[in-house]
Amino acid sequence: MSDAPGVLTHAAVMTGRSLRISRRNLDAMITAMMLPIMLMLIFVYFFGGAIETGTAYDSYVMYVVPGVLLLCAGFGSATTAVAVSEDMKGGIIDRLRSLDVGGAPVLAGHVVASTVRNLVSTTLVFGVALLIGFRPAASLGGWLAVAGVLLAYIVALSWISAAIGLLARTPEAAGGFTFFMSFLPYPSSAFVPVDSMPGWLHGFADHQPITPAIEALRGLLLAQPVGNAPWIALAWAAGILAVAIGLSGVLFRIRTA
Amino acid sequence: MPETMIEAHGLTKSYGKPSDPVRVLDGLGLQVPRGEVFALLGPNGAGKTTTVRILATLTTADSGTARVAGFDVVADRHRVRRAISLTGQFAAVDATQTGEENLRMTARLTGLSRSHAKHRAAELLERFGLTEAARRQVRTYSGGMRRRLDLAAGLVGSPEPGVFFLDEPTTGLDPRSRRELWQVVRDLADGGATVLLTTQYLEEADRLADHIAVLNGGRAVAEGSPETLKARFPGHRLDLVLTGREAYLRLAARAVHHSPGTLTLGLPTDGTAAHARALLDEIDPHRTDVERFSVHSASLDDVFLALTGETAEEAAGETTGETTEPTEEPTHV
């Protein structure tokens, strides 16, 4: 009999599985990609002309792309909740547990696959953004920082999405829950400046986790001063990730008790 | 390896709110010697699945102890997991992976190297007659193929002859697939495996098991070899509609099923033509007392009603004068 494999082997095998399945669920993948792209086109061509974003931006497309990138991460990670929920509902989780595969590798497999999916779709959205006139001016360091912030958010949102998948009793409910997450970029500076919103919303819009990420991405991509926005964004991502990992650990134990 | 591969003592388990618990297992005990096929027979809600989940370490009992392959299912659960293979009620294979991918993945999870996993997957696909379908996604499989793959996946990493838990392996399968799966279980048993399977079908338990425990309300209400159980309740009944009350009274003592209102009596038979013919000749030599007859095959409900007196009253609910109510269409001859 072979030696008991470690957590890393389990996580690697589970990641391979999730990636294979994602590749075959092309419709989900295309939806996750098309929605942000369509939203970007709608905002740029339908609403953009009417949105006043200040003199710092040559055109609305320069303003809106960072928000669309994060929106894309939100949509993309939402599929993780559904996938986790489906595993918990069916016999898969019993089989995995009877093979002595723990909760962490199962979720990690989903999260890593989600991250890979999101990196692909983010790249595509970025490509379309370039086609419609987005002209970034970031330095090499800036690009690395952009990649870092995006990666941190994708991982954090994917893991929180996995936790939602454990929380929801059905895959349909899991899909519904993540809608709220995809909604977060709207009350932020993603599409319109926070100043243009009613006063009572400023407190929320300025201090919710998406805003510092958008400020950081926008500043870095357009080579504008960013202050400590990237650090605040990374702190938010780390905080979300920590909560998501802790929460999913507890939820996994409850669901499999 | 221990002589008793599966043993449980006094298992209890309740679900639901602490204030209003639903007792699923109520002091269940069982013993399965090495190499035996043991069937837990019972209706939905009898506690079959809960028993399997406790023995397979997926959940813990509220009280009682259980050992599988010599290891305690709580304290030594990791060793238990290495010794067993489980096939649950819900297919545990990915529909969007191919059969081969599912098996290779499972093999890798049990710790086989890539090349060994590939080899093992091919071997199992061959054994379960899935080689041709190996590279097709599972969603294109029939129910029977899916079950066979599921069983193969449960088998991937366990040492053979191992301990198998099969939770309702044939529920929802068409008759042909069911027969194919029965053959698979027989092959496992021939290879020396210890098998605990749950089923709602008397016929299935009869065909496969060396030993049957009839589960109801979370406890074993009857236990024994299929022969022993059948002796306590015949598998077939010859239901006779009699021409008069006199004949009814004369034969009532021999019957296992009484329906005075319709002048119907059920007599035990083995279901063969020879026996039915001989029985009819014996009880009605002048060919005047029996108007019509039909062969009734015992359903699980019949077994329950016969084996559990109190359940019979609850289930019958009303006093129709019948001791058993046929729940399946009798086979008319």
Side-chain angles (χ1 to χ4, degrees):
Chain A
M1 193 174 182
S2 47
D3 292 332
V7 170
L8 285 181
T9 308
H10 280 163
V13 175
M14 293 311 292
T15 302
R17 164 194 182 238
S18 292
L19 283 174
R20 253 194 313 278
I21 293 175
S22 317
R23 224 174 40 224
R24 285 168 196 170
N25 285 335
L26 261 184
D27 46 346
M29 186 91 181
I30 288 170
T31 309
M33 265 182 252
M34 287 310 292
L35 274 172
I37 290 175
M38 284 174 63
L39 275 167
M40 177 163 70
L41 297 178
I42 288 170
F43 269 92
V44 169
Y45 291 116
F46 294 180
F47 305 150
I51 295 172
E52 189 51 63
T53 52
T55 50
Y57 308 96
D58 299 339
S59 59
Y60 184 65
V61 69
M62 301 296 277
Y63 181 86
V64 82
V65 165
V68 172
L69 291 178
L70 273 181
L71 195 70
C72 180
F75 279 125
S77 45
T79 51
T80 310
V82 178
V84 168
S85 181
E86 259 161 10
D87 275 4
M88 299 303 292
K89 184 190 71 172
I92 301 274
I93 197 66
D94 285 350
R95 163 67 45 73
L96 292 173
R97 290 178 64 219
S98 80
L99 295 169
D100 223 7
V101 179
V106 175
L107 296 182
H110 282 296
V111 170
V112 173
S114 164
T115 305
V116 172
R117 280 198 307 268
N118 273 299
L119 289 177
V120 171
S121 59
T122 305
T123 309
L124 267 169
V125 169
F126 211 87
V128 175
L130 291 177
L131 284 179
I132 62 169
F134 183 66
R135 293 291 173 265
S139 61
L140 179 62
W143 279 111
L144 288 176
V146 165
V149 169
L150 268 177
L151 189 65
Y153 267 75
I154 288 171
V155 172
L157 290 179
S158 296
W159 207 298
I160 213 68
S161 187
I164 289 171
L166 291 173
L167 193 65
R169 290 282 151 177
T170 63
E172 291 76 17
F177 267 127
T178 53
F179 174 78
F180 290 103
M181 210 161 68
S182 314
F183 188 70
L184 266 187
Y186 293 98
S188 80
S189 61
F191 300 104
V192 296
V194 172
D195 293 341
S196 67
M197 298 176 191
W200 56 268
L201 207 53
H202 287 194
F204 177 75
D206 280 336
H207 296 101
Q208 63 126 316
I210 298 294
T211 299
I214 284 165
E215 295 300 323
L217 291 177
R218 191 179 282 136
L220 290 164
L221 285 169
L222 303 181
Q224 293 168 346
V226 288
N228 53 5
W231 298 112
I232 298 174
L234 287 178
W236 266 111
I240 293 172
L241 188 61
V243 169
I245 291 176
L247 187 67
S248 57
V250 172
L251 287 171
F252 189 84
R253 271 193 295 279
I254 293 174
R255 282 297 296 273
T256 57
Chain B
M1 230 188 279
E3 273 307 307
T4 303
M5 288 304 266
I6 306 170
E7 57 175 317
H9 301 283
L11 294 180
T12 68
K13 177 82 179 175
S14 299
Y15 287 112
K17 283 179 260 175
S19 56
D20 183 26
V22 178
R23 185 153 263 220
V24 182
L25 286 185
D26 191 15
L28 179 75
L30 55 89
Q31 303 234 346
V32 185
R34 176 147 44 93
E36 188 176 270
V37 179
F38 186 101
L40 279 177
L41 178 66
N44 290 335
K48 303 188 299 286
T49 297
T50 304
T51 308
V52 168
R53 290 180 63 83
I54 289 171
L55 294 173
T57 80
L58 295 180
T59 190
T60 52
D62 296 338
S63 68
T65 57
R67 298 176 80 78
V68 171
F71 304 116
D72 186 277
V73 293
V74 178
D76 262 337
R77 65 178 179 281
H78 296 289
R79 283 195 178 138
V80 171
R81 287 175 185 175
R82 304 281 288 160
I84 63 167
S85 60
L86 167 74
T87 304
Q89 249 180 74
F90 302 103
V93 285
D94 286 316
T96 39
Q97 291 201 85
T98 66
E100 188 189 7
E101 284 164 350
N102 268 295
L103 292 186
R104 285 171 69 171
M105 174 187 88
T106 315
R108 293 278 291 137
L109 290 174
T110 66
L112 295 183
S113 68
R114 261 174 223 285
S115 57
H116 279 116
K118 190 174 175 183
H119 184 76
R120 181 81 172 130
E123 183 184 298
L124 285 166
L125 287 164
E126 175 74 43
R127 177 163 156 195
F128 287 85
L130 292 168
T131 305
E132 273 177 35
R135 282 158 194 254
R136 266 167 41 201
Q137 287 187 30
V138 173
R139 61 194 165 88
T140 66
Y141 283 22
S142 70
M145 290 164 75
R146 216 178 264 228
R147 268 310 156 86
R148 293 209 301 277
L149 180 69
D150 200 11
L151 213 62
L155 204 72
V156 152
S158 55
E160 294 191 54
V163 182
F164 292 85
F165 294 103
L166 310 179
D167 192 11
E168 299 198 6
T170 65
T171 298
L173 293 190
D174 61 50
R176 178 197 293 271
S177 306
R178 172 168 298 160
R179 266 152 217 283
E180 284 171 1
L181 213 81
W182 284 350
Q183 193 52 50
V184 169
V185 175
R186 277 193 211 103
D187 291 345
L188 288 176
D190 291 345
T194 308
V195 180
L196 184 142
L197 68 91
T198 75
T199 179
Q200 313 188 35
Y201 309 112
L202 181 64
E203 187 193 3
E204 183 162 296
D206 186 11
R207 295 219 179 188
L208 295 176
D210 303 307
H211 197 92
I212 299 174
V214 180
L215 220 61
N216 194 30
R219 47 197 315 155
V221 292
E223 211 179 308
S225 66
E227 288 69 34
T228 323
L229 286 179
K230 271 190 290 186
R232 288 177 63 179
F233 189 87
H236 300 280
R237 227 171 53 205
L238 193 63
D239 282 359
L240 311 170
V241 180
L242 302 165
T243 49
R245 187 158 179 78
E246 196 182 319
Y248 182 89
L249 292 172
R250 180 167 63 81
L251 294 167
R254 297 182 56 167
V256 291
H257 165 82
H258 303 82
S259 178
T262 56
L263 287 180
T264 301
L265 287 175
L267 271 64
T269 174
D270 61 7
T272 61
H275 185 264
R277 196 175 278 137
L279 191 65
L280 284 169
D281 283 341
E282 184 205 333
I283 59 175
D284 185 18
H286 308 296
R287 307 196 171 181
T288 52
D289 291 345
V290 177
E291 190 181 312
R292 277 179 288 127
F293 70 92
S294 63
V295 175
H296 172 84
S297 296
S299 70
L300 186 55
D301 288 349
D302 295 331
V303 176
F304 273 114
L305 295 166
L307 288 173
T308 63
E310 59 178 45
T311 318
E313 278 162 38
E314 282 166 23
E318 63 216 34
T319 45
T320 56
E322 300 203 25
T323 51
T324 61
E325 187 77 44
T327 52
E328 286 175 8
E329 280 292 301
T331 322
H332 290 282
V333 181

